[in-house]
Amino acid sequence: MKKVVLMSLETTLLEWSPAKYQLLDELSSKGFETYLFLPGKLKNRKKYNSINYVINTEGMLNKDIRKKIIDIAPNAVIATIYIDTTVIYKLPYIMKNTSFYYYNLEICTPYLNKEVQKENFRHYIKYKFKYPLYKYKEMLYTRRVKAFSIQDRLRMRLSEKYHIKHSNVILIPNSYVFDETKIISEKQTGVVYTGGIKRDFFLKQMKNLGDVKRTPLTFSGRIDLWCKKEMKKIKNTNPDIELVEQILSIDDYTKYLQQFAVGLVWYSPLKEDQANYYIGLSSGKMFKHLSLGQPIIATKCPGITETVNKYKLGIVIDNISELDDAYEEIMRNYIYYRENVIRIYRNRFDFKKVITPFIECIDSTS
């Protein structure tokens, strides 16, 4: 049986990384024996039938992680983020019978936001100091991989700007497997935003949120103190704006979203935060809504704006004060938008379809 190692040294939260567990599902279905490396215990282990072995790297030295991979002697090794490449960058030069891949989920840039600087100054300084070394190791690893994947051409160009490029690039949007049983009802109403509700992303548009008067709008997720204070002021004049602080499992999250008619995709990071500013088709939030047949309203953001407009997946607004008109427009033509989202998603973004070239590449070279 062929063996494949997937590196996830950044986090143990596999549930919130569909790009990883869906990839493992597809590799397992092709007959691969799968090994997952991550720093801790895998939560909800029984959910992941496609994972044969979990290697807890917590407390392991980098050389011990490399030795473990060598001992497994896999046919393929897949890194998913620069943290993985800084540990295994030597292996493609040593393991001649193993194929290596970079399934890139996050572009490594020197930027860290002010929130990280405040919350963990030691980590901030360490990252700034070691960034050149991280980048050098990432470059060395990428030079020897069989294929490099990234979400779209926008992010491919950004990755090249930061010295990561490859002759064999496979574009894989950060989407979900299409499941018709999860499509929302035509009878739902309201708009929902989910995710981090933080000053960094909301500062530019927050002052205009008070202009939203006719839309039932819910914010759900982890909320910082600044946003709580600002939204409390807004709620005094608009009781239809709800603020729900909660962290849900992926199944409960899906059920929660299914209560609403429209998803709000709100990104407004600083331009210097290029990995987020050029979010493009790496937006798991956008694809989660679309996978449920849910039209979206999106603030202008490189990559998302073009995709929504091109495929008529909802409405792009310049300013959050335009939300009322956008919501009413979608609800007047809801069946059109909903059916269009389902058709486009099934044909162009279903993960089972978009991952096929990457799986075929691994299968043919392993």
Side-chain angles (χ1 to χ4, degrees), residues 184 190-192 260-264 289 294-297 327 330-331 334:
I184 62 170
V191 177
V192 63
F260 301 91
V262 179
L264 175 59
H289 291 303
Q294 210 163 40
I296 60 177
I297 297 172
Y327 174 64
I330 289 178
M331 295 310 291
Y334 193 71

Side-chain angles (χ1 to χ4, degrees), residues 213 229-239 241:
K213 302 292 186 183
K229 289 179 179 177
E230 293 300 310
M231 288 200 180
K232 187 176 180 180
K233 298 174 189 173
I234 293 165
K235 191 168 172 58
N236 288 334
T237 59
N238 187 351
I241 293 181

Side-chain angles (χ1 to χ4, degrees), residues 211-217 238 240 323-328:
D211 294 333
V212 178
K213 302 292 186 183
R214 307 188 306 274
T215 301
L217 173 60
N238 187 351
D240 285 336
L323 185 69
D324 284 341
D325 290 341
Y327 174 64
E328 289 169 358

